[in-house]
């Protein structure tokens, strides 16, 4: 039964894409209802799993055998995939409904839905894969779909460059992925997870490094992060689906999948920890002074991803997974509400030009406030059930204190930038032109947001209560550590409120160095995007023309030889006719010769 | 020159070399060398211009110095061993000093400075005698005494000769100087093989003498002494131009011609004795020689430089030069390679 139900889930969206009637209007609704039914059906295996705690592996179609490597299509339905699939489907359902409103006037809306559906299918393939080949297919699929969707408005150069950026950074990560696959093929002769975890090889540093690189590329960790803020060039539903809940989760998801191998390898844990800590702090710093509402939310996603990496680094993959699931809800909701704001203000994305939406868009502002509170880990909302245990476990574990401190600072910054959004977008007097028609009447806009609000409030409780903890959580800790998360969050809130209130009264002078650092995303894109291509292109040009053509083919042998011979010839034959000199040389030669001979 | 004087001088020249070659006592060998040198002087001064005189003077001074050094070596040998036999100069000072003296007489590096100047300063025929006949006596002495000398010196001098002969000839347009440098280079080849297989030295000497004689005679017959006159040779004696080409190629050591034989056998002998780098270097340096021979061939036989139409039809005067031995020599210098197995005759 489990097998059949899960396969039906996957095939429902696929059947929809097979009916390629782009002409009719019904395609959109068919797609949306297909995803709804898929969500409903996917709840069945999940509930079965919750009840019985049985994991299932389906391996049906034998693909091919290469020497001793047998490749087949196999699905793994364990805690991770069975929990994530309904959540992904639910969020996709909401987003599809939202994009019925958002992309209403777009002439190619059918194609948009097709792309969204393809993305969903590849994401599900990635999540349910039992062997690395299938995972890689899903991996590449989400990469390609993200490229197509970011450059949806392909007439805009910024969109095209952002899509290229996303593709290239993902590709760099893919190198790590392929290295991991190659290592597993060479050493373990299999790509199936069961075999990898059973044999439990000893020296797994190399493939896990590759995996870390792949996750860093996919989940925008520091070093491979600029594509995520740039990816906000795509439409808001794309940002909501890909870059908040699903695609960027793919990297963290794969890392979580490999937790049996990572448990044993402390080097990888430390590197994950440090990488995540740097990411979360850096992107939080960058998010503090951004002016584009979508970029703030994107950088916030990056920061939360860093937090998930930190959790994996302290050997708590299940906590990271729970945080991933809950984060999907409120981040998607934040994106959807920002989309509603943007559309209602006639495509205005700059928060300095918004204001006073608290009264005019009640549902959206409620959504933003609830989402921000959930993001920062307000007690008993969703984020609390995932973020608080993370901070507590981090406090009580034997980890890098530096990483811990950085994570705490980043948590307080989370509160700060959330306050920034609320303050600038919702509170105060309106700063937008007064002809903007603001309404929230369309049910396609309101219903998804309402659903996601409910999810943000209750899902944390539901998920954490229904999962069996794999590691014993910390029960006792000193009270100051217990309150640490809450305390830093409140600190962030108050500081941000104070500072933002001060902006009413102060004059804006020349921005300080720190401010520019933060606004320019830490100068990382400006330096790296120019330097690396410049260096490699000049190096290859020098290699090709100077070294190859000019030096090796022309100068090295022919010209050098001619100059050498000419010099030698003129040296040798240039005799003065003075016999005394000759005799002197004879004397010297004879002396030397006798010395040699003796 | 007065024919009586000429015949006296030539016989003395002959006698001097023969006395050196036939002697087993050092003093008579030295005496023969001195006779050689003294009769060479009037031959070099056949034309009485100052250049020839200068060449003769240089020749005299260099050879006198070499003879003095040889005498000193002999005296030291007498002091240490008490005997005058040529083959048993066991004292290293004596034998190496004698070696260097003989190398000066031959004109190998680093004692080569006199060869181009003297050869250039005299006419073609004395130059010919200088470069061919005068090598016989010192080489015969070297052949006998080389076993007790330091082989490093021989290798050093030989390699240096080949290098200098190669590089020196690149910068020349005068044919006599080119042939002088070629003589230096061939002396280098001859010296190097001396510790390994002296027979090959003699073989090289023979073939070198044949080749140089052919070339000099061709040049004498056509009155060419510089490269610019070479370019006009095609019109006057086309047959000799082609013969010059083949003989020059043979001098450079090109395979189907007989000049290849000594080089090939020498490299073979050297590699049999496990030295690889030296024959490699020698062979590569021989290419330098080949380059300027090719240049001569290019200008004489392969191309015709732009000229007015008058020059294409010259008066053919009767040839006053004797070309008696020339055909034989040319044939020998080009076609001797298949007779290689006959060198066992020399052993």
């Amino acid at each position: 039964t489990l097998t059949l139900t899960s396969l039906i889930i996957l095939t429902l969206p696929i059947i929809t894409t097979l009916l390629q009637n782009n002409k009719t209007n019904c395609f959109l609704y068919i797609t949306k209802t297909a995803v709804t039914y898929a969500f409903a059906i996917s709840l069945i295996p999940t509930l079965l799993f919750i009840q019985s705690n049985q994991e299932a592996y389906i391996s049906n179609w034998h693909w091919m055998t290469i020497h001793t490597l047998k490749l087949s299509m196999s699905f793994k339905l364990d805690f991770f995939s069975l929990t994530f699939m309904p959540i992904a489907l639910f969020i996709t359902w909401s987003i599809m409904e939202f994009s019925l409103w958002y992309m209403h006037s777009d002439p190619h809306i059918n194609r948009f839905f097709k792309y969204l559906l393809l993305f969903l299918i590849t994401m599900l393939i990635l999540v349910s894969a039992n062997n690395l080949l299938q995972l890689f297919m899903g991996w590449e699929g989400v990469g390609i779909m993200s490229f197509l969707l970011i450059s949806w408005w392909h007439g805009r150069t910024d969109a095209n460059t952002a899509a290229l950026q996303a593709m290239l950074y993902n590709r760099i990560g893919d190198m790590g992925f392929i290295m991991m696959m190659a290592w597993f093929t060479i050493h373990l002769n299999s790509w199936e997870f069961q075999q990898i975890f059973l044999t439990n090889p000893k020296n797994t540093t190399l493939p896990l490094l590759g995996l870390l690189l792949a996750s860093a590329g996919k989940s925008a960790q520091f070093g491979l992060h600029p594509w995520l803020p740039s990816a906000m060039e795509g439409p808001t539903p794309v940002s909501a689906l890909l870059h908040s809940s699903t695609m960027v989760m793919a990297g963290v998801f794969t890392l979580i999948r490999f937790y049996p191998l990572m448990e044993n390898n402390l080097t990888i844990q430390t590197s994950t920890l440090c990488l995540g800590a740097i990411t979360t702090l850096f992107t939080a710093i960058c998010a503090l002074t951004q002016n584009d509402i979508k970029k703030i939310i994107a950088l916030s996603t990056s920061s939360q991803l860093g937090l998930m990496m930190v959790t994996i680094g302290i050997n708590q993959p299940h906590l990271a997974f729970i945080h991933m699931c809950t984060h999907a809800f409120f981040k998607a909701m934040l994106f959807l509400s920002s989309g509603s704001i943007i559309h209602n203000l006639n495509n205005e994305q700059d928060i300095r030009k918004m204001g006073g939406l608290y009264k005019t868009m009640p549902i959206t502002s409620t959504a933003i406030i609830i989402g921000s509170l959930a993001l920062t880990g307000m007690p008993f909302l969703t984020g609390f059930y995932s973020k608080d245990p993370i901070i507590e476990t981090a406090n009580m574990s034997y980890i890098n204190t530096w990483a811990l401190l950085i994570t705490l600072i980043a948590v307080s910054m989370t509160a700060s930038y959330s306050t920034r959004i609320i303050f600038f977008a919702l509170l105060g007097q309106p700063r937008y032109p007064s002809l903007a028609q603001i309404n929230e009447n369309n049910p396609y806009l309101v219903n998804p947001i309402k659903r996601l609000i409910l999810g943000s409030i209750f899902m944390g409780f539901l998920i954490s209560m229904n999962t069996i903890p794999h590691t014993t959580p910390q029960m006792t800790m000193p009270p100051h550590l217990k309150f640490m998360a809450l305390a830093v969050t409140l600190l962030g809130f108050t500081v941000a409120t104070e500072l933002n209130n001060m902006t009413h009264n102060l004059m804006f002078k020349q921005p300080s160095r720190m401010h520019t650092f933060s606004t320019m995303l830490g100068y990382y894109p400006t330096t790296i995007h120019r330097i690396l291509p410049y260096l490699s292109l000049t190096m290859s040009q020098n290699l090709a023309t100077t070294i190859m053509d000019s030096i090796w083919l022309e100068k090295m042998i022919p010209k050098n030889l001619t100059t050498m011979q000419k010099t030698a010839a003129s040296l040798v034959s240039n005799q003065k006719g003075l016999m005394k000199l000759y005799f002197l040389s004879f004397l010297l030669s004879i002396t030397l010769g006798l010395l040699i001979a003796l | 020159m007065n024919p009586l004087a000429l015949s006296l001088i030539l016989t003395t020249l002959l006698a001097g070399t023969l006395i050196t070659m036939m002697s087993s006592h050092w003093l008579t060998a030295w005496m023969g060398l001195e006779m050689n040198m003294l009769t060479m002087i009037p031959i070099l001064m056949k034309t009485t211009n100052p250049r020839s005189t200068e060449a003769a003077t240089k020749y005299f001074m260099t050879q006198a110095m070499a003879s003095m050094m040889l005498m000193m070596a002999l005296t030291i040998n007498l002091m240490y061993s008490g005997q005058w036999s040529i083959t048993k100069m066991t004292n290293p000072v004596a034998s190496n000093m004698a070696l260097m003296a003989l190398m000066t007489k031959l004109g190998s590096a680093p004692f080569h400075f006199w060869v181009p100047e003297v050869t250039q300063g005299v006419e073609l025929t004395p130059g010919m005698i200088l470069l061919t006949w005068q090598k016989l006596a010192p080489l015969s002495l070297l052949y006998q005494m080389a076993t007790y000398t330091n082989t490093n010196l021989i290798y050093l001098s030989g390699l240096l000769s080949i290098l200098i002969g190669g590089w020196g000839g690149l910068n020349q347009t005068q044919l006599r100087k080119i042939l002088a440098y070629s003589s230096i280079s061939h002396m280098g080849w001859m010296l190097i093989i001396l510790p390994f297989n002296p027979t090959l030295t003699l073989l090289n000497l023979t073939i070198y003498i044949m080749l140089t004689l052919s070339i000099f005679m061709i040049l004498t017959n056509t009155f060419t002494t510089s490269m610019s006159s070479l370019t006009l040779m095609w019109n006057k004696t086309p047959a000799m131009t082609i013969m010059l080409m083949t003989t020059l190629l043979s001098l450079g050591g090109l395979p189907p011609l007989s000049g290849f034989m000594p080089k090939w056998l020498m490299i073979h002998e050297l590699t049999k004795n496990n030295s690889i780098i030296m024959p490699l270097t020698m062979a590569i340096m021989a290419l330098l020689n080949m380059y300027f021979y090719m240049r001569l061939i290019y200008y004489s036989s392969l191309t015709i430089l732009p000229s007015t139409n008058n020059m294409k039809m010259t008066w053919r005067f009767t040839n006053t030069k004797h070309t008696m031995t020339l055909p034989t020599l040319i044939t020998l210098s080009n076609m001797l390679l298949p007779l290689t197995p006959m060198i066992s005759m020399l052993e």
Side-chain angles (χ1 to χ4, degrees):
Chain A
T1 49
L2 283 173
T3 68
L4 279 178
T5 42
S6 68
L7 283 181
I8 290 175
I9 298 162
L10 286 181
T11 49
L12 259 180
I14 296 174
I15 292 175
T16 317
T17 55
L18 288 181
L19 309 172
Q20 288 284 346
N21 38 0
N22 292 326
K23 301 289 192 291
T24 69
N25 234 355
C26 290
F27 176 71
L28 310 173
Y29 301 101
I30 292 177
T31 317
K32 183 178 77 71
T33 41
V35 173
T36 318
Y37 291 156
F39 162 68
I41 295 178
S42 74
L43 281 177
I44 303 176
T46 314
L47 293 173
L48 279 173
F49 171 77
I50 293 177
Q51 192 239 348
S52 67
N53 198 19
Q54 277 176 2
E55 301 184 342
Y57 312 99
I58 311 167
S59 179
N60 41 16
W61 188 38
H62 177 203
W63 205 296
M64 63 172 102
T65 311
I66 303 175
H67 289 291
T68 50
L69 183 65
K70 177 166 182 262
L71 298 170
S72 57
M73 192 164 91
S74 62
F75 301 96
K76 179 174 162 115
L77 305 172
D78 62 342
F79 163 62
F80 294 131
S81 63
L82 280 177
T83 322
F84 193 74
M85 280 208 279
I87 294 179
L89 285 165
F90 179 74
I91 295 183
T92 315
W93 170 33
S94 310
I95 289 179
M96 278 192 176
E97 207 177 325
F98 175 77
S99 50
L100 278 175
W101 172 77
Y102 193 83
M103 310 287 291
H104 180 71
S105 53
D106 196 309
H108 299 292
I109 189 171
N110 285 337
R111 204 190 324 150
F112 186 76
F113 268 72
K114 190 168 71 166
Y115 285 173
L116 280 183
L117 199 55
L118 271 177
F119 173 81
L120 175 67
I121 294 171
T122 46
M123 187 72 203
L124 290 178
I125 293 177
L126 197 156
V127 163
S128 63
N130 194 19
N131 58 356
L132 279 176
L133 181 67
Q134 215 167 317
L135 209 153
F136 193 59
M137 290 191 327
W139 188 275
E140 291 292 300
V142 295
I144 294 176
M145 294 324 292
S146 120
F147 172 77
L148 287 174
L149 281 169
I150 294 176
S151 63
W152 177 252
W153 291 311
H154 50 79
R156 209 178 126 85
T157 41
D158 279 339
N160 285 333
T161 51
L164 267 181
Q165 232 178 314
M167 205 62 215
L168 287 174
Y169 277 114
N170 267 330
R171 250 321 174 217
I172 299 177
D174 287 349
M175 284 197 307
F177 200 94
I178 294 180
M179 178 168 81
M180 177 175 76
M181 285 169 77
W183 194 92
F184 280 133
T185 314
I186 292 174
H187 288 252
L188 300 177
N189 192 29
S190 156
W191 277 335
E192 305 265 330
F193 286 149
Q194 285 77 35
Q195 189 159 337
I196 294 175
F197 297 149
L198 270 178
T199 50
N200 205 8
K202 282 288 180 296
N203 44 349
T204 51
T205 312
L206 194 59
L208 288 177
L209 266 180
L211 180 63
L212 186 60
L213 180 63
S215 318
K218 199 59 126 185
S219 304
Q221 300 300 305
F222 183 72
L224 297 174
H225 66 278
W227 70 270
L228 192 52
S230 312
M232 296 299 118
E233 295 286 334
T236 313
V238 169
S239 310
L241 186 56
L242 271 68
H243 307 120
S244 65
S245 356
T246 38
M247 187 180 117
V248 294
M249 299 304 162
V252 182
F253 190 82
T254 323
L255 265 181
I256 294 177
R257 268 272 197 240
F258 273 89
Y259 78 88
L261 286 185
M262 287 185 63
E263 273 174 344
N264 301 328
N265 197 332
L266 283 177
T267 323
I268 297 293
Q269 280 185 15
T270 323
S271 25
T272 321
L273 178 69
C274 294
L275 186 63
I278 295 179
T279 310
T280 176
L281 182 65
F282 182 75
T283 47
I285 292 178
C286 291
L288 281 178
T289 54
Q290 295 296 315
N291 292 321
D292 184 355
I293 190 173
K294 279 173 75 172
K295 277 215 170 59
I296 300 182
I297 307 181
L299 287 166
S300 143
T301 312
S302 209
S303 183
Q304 295 302 308
L305 286 172
L307 185 63
M308 287 177 222
M309 284 288 211
V310 164
T311 325
I312 299 177
I314 55 177
N315 208 8
Q316 299 288 336
H318 303 277
L319 280 182
F321 178 73
I322 296 176
H323 188 65
M324 203 168 96
C325 297
T326 53
H327 172 262
F329 279 103
F330 43 81
K331 199 43 73 68
M333 184 172 70
L334 278 176
F335 265 113
L336 289 192
S337 23
S338 74
S340 130
I341 294 180
I342 292 171
H343 240 39
N344 274 321
L345 292 181
N346 279 334
N347 298 328
E348 181 58 62
Q349 283 184 292
D350 196 339
I351 55 175
R352 299 173 288 194
K353 294 222 191 116
M354 306 173 190
L357 293 171
Y358 186 63
K359 302 283 187 191
T360 49
M361 300 174 72
I363 300 182
T364 313
S365 41
T366 325
I368 290 187
I369 293 179
I370 293 184
S372 305
L373 287 177
L375 174 63
T376 57
M378 183 62 61
F380 303 115
L381 289 181
T382 311
F384 174 67
Y385 287 101
S386 53
K387 208 165 184 186
D388 225 42
I390 294 177
I391 307 287
E392 285 171 13
T393 326
N395 278 337
M396 296 306 291
S397 65
Y398 299 104
I399 58 164
N400 227 335
T401 315
W402 169 78
L404 169 65
L405 280 176
I406 286 185
T407 319
L408 285 176
I409 297 177
V411 166
S412 81
M413 285 187 184
T414 312
S416 307
Y417 58 70
S418 307
T419 323
R420 184 182 158 91
I421 294 181
I422 295 177
F423 185 80
F424 277 102
L426 305 181
L427 304 175
Q429 300 295 321
R431 293 183 290 275
Y432 49 87
S434 42
L435 284 184
Q437 294 157 325
I438 302 180
N439 58 4
E440 289 178 332
N441 298 330
N442 200 333
Y444 288 138
L445 168 63
V446 169
N447 284 338
I449 296 187
K450 272 198 245 175
R451 254 179 276 133
L452 284 175
I453 291 180
L454 285 175
S456 305
I457 299 179
F458 294 116
M459 274 322 285
F461 175 73
L462 287 176
I463 291 180
S464 53
M465 287 306 138
N466 283 326
T467 59
I468 303 171
H470 283 245
T471 57
T472 52
Q474 276 289 342
M475 293 299 181
T476 59
M477 58 184 85
H480 62 269
L481 283 183
K482 183 92 180 150
F483 287 127
M484 179 79 74
L486 196 56
V488 295
T489 315
L490 284 175
L491 180 70
F493 268 134
T494 43
V495 168
T497 324
E498 274 305 312
L499 284 175
N500 286 334
N501 269 330
M502 277 164 67
T503 59
H504 281 312
N505 307 328
L506 292 177
M507 259 203 359
F508 191 68
K509 294 197 286 267
Q510 190 77 358
S512 67
R513 295 285 179 83
M514 271 310 289
H515 189 270
T516 338
F517 177 82
S518 168
T519 319
M520 295 292 292
L521 298 179
Y523 307 115
Y524 186 89
T526 38
T527 51
I528 300 285
H529 286 173
R530 299 294 293 177
I531 283 184
L532 284 179
Y534 174 74
L535 283 178
S536 48
L537 284 176
T538 49
M539 176 184 84
S540 47
Q541 185 186 31
N542 274 335
L543 270 179
T545 56
T546 312
I547 292 184
M548 188 64 192
D549 281 347
S550 147
I551 293 183
W552 192 250
L553 292 179
E554 268 186 28
K555 289 212 187 112
M556 183 77 147
I557 296 186
K559 290 224 169 87
N560 273 342
L561 207 57
T562 47
T563 40
M564 194 169 81
Q565 301 306 317
K566 278 201 275 192
T567 332
S570 51
L571 268 180
V572 166
S573 58
N574 190 12
Q575 293 174 199
K576 304 194 193 3
L578 306 172
M579 290 306 284
K580 272 204 223 171
L581 287 177
Y582 296 169
F583 279 111
L584 186 63
S585 81
F586 290 168
L587 178 67
L588 276 173
S589 316
I590 290 171
T591 326
L592 279 174
L594 283 178
L595 282 175
I596 291 177
L598 289 177
Chain B
M1 196 189 269
N2 191 0
L4 184 59
L6 189 58
S7 58
L8 190 62
I9 287 173
L10 286 178
T11 30
T12 321
L13 191 63
L14 185 67
T17 311
L18 283 179
I19 288 176
T20 311
M21 287 167 76
M22 286 192 298
S23 66
S24 42
H25 193 280
W26 259 119
L27 267 182
T28 47
W30 186 83
M31 190 179 74
L33 284 174
E34 288 297 297
M35 277 170 64
N36 226 345
M37 172 182 76
L38 284 173
T39 53
M40 200 56 198
I41 310 286
I43 297 180
L44 290 180
M45 286 204 323
K46 233 201 262 190
T47 56
T48 48
N49 51 22
R51 183 72 178 89
S52 305
T53 320
E54 178 198 340
T57 321
K58 284 187 189 165
Y59 182 72
F60 170 69
M61 287 173 68
T62 319
Q63 298 280 311
M65 180 206 75
S67 300
M68 279 195 297
M69 248 189 4
L70 188 57
M71 196 47 151
M72 168 137 189
L74 296 184
T75 324
I76 294 177
N77 180 38
L78 182 63
M79 200 163 73
Y80 280 104
S81 65
Q83 40 87 19
W84 291 97
S85 74
I86 297 183
T87 50
K88 294 277 191 293
M89 284 183 82
T90 46
N91 190 13
V93 178
S95 66
N96 289 313
M97 202 181 264
L99 172 72
M100 284 192 279
L102 288 173
M103 285 203 291
T104 315
K105 282 204 180 281
L106 281 175
S108 36
F111 312 106
H112 66 281
F113 295 104
W114 59 273
V115 183
E117 293 175 2
V118 174
T119 320
Q120 177 67 25
V122 297
E123 286 294 311
L124 278 171
T125 318
M128 177 170 80
I129 299 179
L130 177 69
L131 288 184
T132 52
W133 186 258
Q134 295 292 85
K135 314 283 181 193
L136 285 176
L139 263 179
S140 65
L141 285 177
L142 261 185
Y143 182 86
Q144 294 172 54
M145 58 159 268
T147 47
Y148 282 100
T149 59
N150 191 348
T151 50
N152 287 330
L153 269 183
I154 296 183
Y155 298 148
L156 185 65
S157 166
L159 274 175
L160 208 54
S161 299
I162 299 178
L163 276 176
I164 289 181
W167 277 332
L170 279 180
N171 201 10
Q172 308 299 333
T173 53
Q174 292 290 324
L175 292 178
R176 286 169 284 175
K177 269 204 182 141
I178 286 182
L179 286 170
Y181 280 110
S182 118
S183 131
I184 297 176
S185 151
H186 280 268
M187 281 303 122
W189 278 89
M190 285 182 228
L191 274 178
I192 287 185
I193 201 66
L194 201 54
F196 292 101
N197 193 354
T199 316
L200 289 177
T201 311
L202 294 181
L203 174 71
N204 198 1
L205 181 67
T206 322
I207 301 220
Y208 163 72
I209 288 179
M210 275 194 290
L211 288 169
T212 316
L213 279 177
S214 325
I215 293 187
F216 264 111
M217 284 216 239
I218 293 175
L219 294 179
T220 320
N221 275 322
T222 52
F223 300 98
T224 50
T225 49
S226 75
M227 257 167 49
S228 45
S229 3
L230 261 187
T231 56
L232 303 171
M233 211 161 73
W234 64 273
N235 202 4
K236 302 178 194 136
T237 51
M240 252 191 240
T241 315
I242 299 177
M243 288 304 122
L244 179 65
M245 175 175 100
T246 50
T247 317
L248 276 174
L249 285 175
S250 178
L251 193 59
L254 203 61
L257 307 171
S258 49
F260 177 58
M261 176 164 46
K263 290 203 165 62
W264 168 32
L265 292 172
M266 281 194 213
I267 293 181
H268 198 63
E269 193 65 36
L270 283 170
T271 50
K272 270 196 271 187
N273 280 299
N274 247 346
S275 80
I276 311 286
I277 301 181
M278 196 153 69
L280 183 68
T281 327
M282 283 158 63
I284 292 180
M285 288 302 151
L287 284 174
L288 288 170
N289 266 335
M290 200 58 209
Y291 176 72
F292 55 80
Y293 298 149
M294 280 302 297
R295 202 193 286 162
L296 294 180
I297 294 170
Y298 183 73
Y299 285 122
S300 66
S301 344
L302 293 181
T303 54
I304 297 177
L305 295 180
S307 56
T308 58
N309 279 332
N310 280 341
M311 295 174 66
K312 294 191 174 59
M313 300 174 294
T314 52
W315 283 107
R316 308 268 171 169
F317 296 107
T318 52
N319 200 356
T320 53
K321 294 278 181 174
H322 297 288
T323 60
M324 208 167 24
T325 55
L326 192 51
T328 322
L329 276 175
I330 290 177
T331 317
L332 278 179
S333 56
N334 290 340
M335 315 266 251
L336 218 45
L337 191 59
L339 289 180
T340 310
M342 286 184 69
I343 57 167
S344 51
M345 191 175 67
L346 285 172
E347 306 217 19

